[in-house]
Amino acid sequence: MPDPTPELWTTQESAEHLGIKPKSASGLLSRRGIKRAGEGRDPVSGRIVALFRADEVRALATDRQPGRRTDRA
Protein backbone atom coordinates (compact mmCIF):
# COMPACT_ATOMS: atom_id res chain seq x y z
CA MET A 1 0.00 0.00 0.00
CA PRO A 2 1.47 3.41 -0.94
CA ASP A 3 2.47 5.85 1.75
CA PRO A 4 -0.54 8.17 2.39
CA THR A 5 1.76 11.07 3.32
CA PRO A 6 4.92 10.86 1.19
CA GLU A 7 7.97 12.90 2.09
CA LEU A 8 8.13 15.95 -0.20
CA TRP A 9 11.24 17.94 -1.10
CA THR A 10 11.61 21.38 -2.60
CA THR A 11 13.76 21.90 -5.68
CA GLN A 12 16.48 23.22 -3.35
CA GLU A 13 16.40 20.07 -1.19
CA SER A 14 16.37 17.88 -4.30
CA ALA A 15 19.37 19.76 -5.68
CA GLU A 16 21.30 19.30 -2.44
CA HIS A 17 20.60 15.55 -2.52
CA LEU A 18 21.66 15.31 -6.17
CA GLY A 19 24.75 17.48 -5.61
CA ILE A 20 23.84 20.04 -8.26
CA LYS A 21 22.49 23.60 -8.45
CA PRO A 22 18.73 24.20 -8.05
CA LYS A 23 18.24 25.36 -11.68
CA SER A 24 20.06 22.26 -12.89
CA ALA A 25 17.93 20.08 -10.62
CA SER A 26 14.75 21.62 -11.96
CA GLY A 27 15.77 20.79 -15.52
CA LEU A 28 16.97 17.30 -14.63
CA LEU A 29 13.75 16.44 -12.80
CA SER A 30 11.73 17.65 -15.76
CA ARG A 31 13.82 15.76 -18.34
CA ARG A 32 13.56 12.53 -16.34
CA GLY A 33 9.77 12.86 -16.14
CA ILE A 34 9.50 13.44 -12.40
CA LYS A 35 6.26 15.33 -11.91
CA ARG A 36 5.58 17.90 -9.23
CA ALA A 37 3.75 16.40 -6.30
CA GLY A 38 2.40 19.77 -5.27
CA GLU A 39 3.53 23.18 -4.19
CA GLY A 40 4.20 24.94 -0.94
CA ARG A 41 5.57 28.19 0.40
CA ASP A 42 9.20 28.87 1.13
CA PRO A 43 9.46 29.56 4.88
CA VAL A 44 11.91 32.44 4.37
CA SER A 45 10.76 34.25 1.23
CA GLY A 46 7.13 33.18 1.19
CA ARG A 47 7.37 32.34 -2.50
CA ILE A 48 5.55 29.37 -3.95
CA VAL A 49 7.95 26.47 -4.56
CA ALA A 50 7.54 23.13 -6.35
CA LEU A 51 7.50 19.97 -4.24
CA PHE A 52 8.71 16.58 -5.45
CA ARG A 53 8.36 13.12 -3.92
CA ALA A 54 11.61 12.37 -2.08
CA ASP A 55 11.53 8.67 -3.04
CA GLU A 56 11.47 9.60 -6.75
CA VAL A 57 14.41 11.98 -6.29
CA ARG A 58 16.35 9.31 -4.39
CA ALA A 59 15.66 6.79 -7.18
CA LEU A 60 16.89 9.31 -9.74
CA ALA A 61 20.06 9.89 -7.72
CA THR A 62 20.91 6.19 -7.68
CA ASP A 63 20.27 5.85 -11.44
CA ARG A 64 22.02 9.09 -12.40
CA GLN A 65 25.45 8.87 -14.02
CA PRO A 66 26.70 12.37 -14.89
CA GLY A 67 28.44 12.57 -18.23
CA ARG A 68 27.07 9.23 -19.43
CA ARG A 69 26.39 9.15 -23.16
CA THR A 70 22.85 8.09 -23.87
CA ASP A 71 23.21 7.81 -27.64
CA ARG A 72 25.43 4.71 -27.44
CA ALA A 73 24.50 1.30 -26.14
Side-chain angles (χ1 to χ4, degrees):
M1 184 167 129
D3 185 1
T5 56
E7 181 181 7
L8 300 177
W9 285 353
T10 63
T11 305
Q12 177 69 38
E13 291 167 321
S14 299
E16 289 171 9
H17 185 76
L18 294 167
I20 57 180
K21 295 179 181 179
K23 285 285 190 182
S24 298
S26 179
L28 178 64
L29 294 168
S30 176
R31 280 191 306 279
R32 294 293 181 96
I34 297 180
K35 304 287 184 197
R36 294 165 71 165
E39 51 189 36
R41 293 223 174 248
D42 184 276
V44 177
S45 69
R47 289 182 157 187
I48 295 175
V49 293
L51 298 173
F52 300 92
R53 291 178 55 109
D55 57 341
E56 292 179 349
V57 177
R58 286 186 193 106
L60 171 63
T62 59
D63 179 55
R64 185 170 172 262
Q65 296 176 4
R68 177 182 65 180
R69 298 239 354 215
T70 59
D71 61 336
R72 295 183 180 173

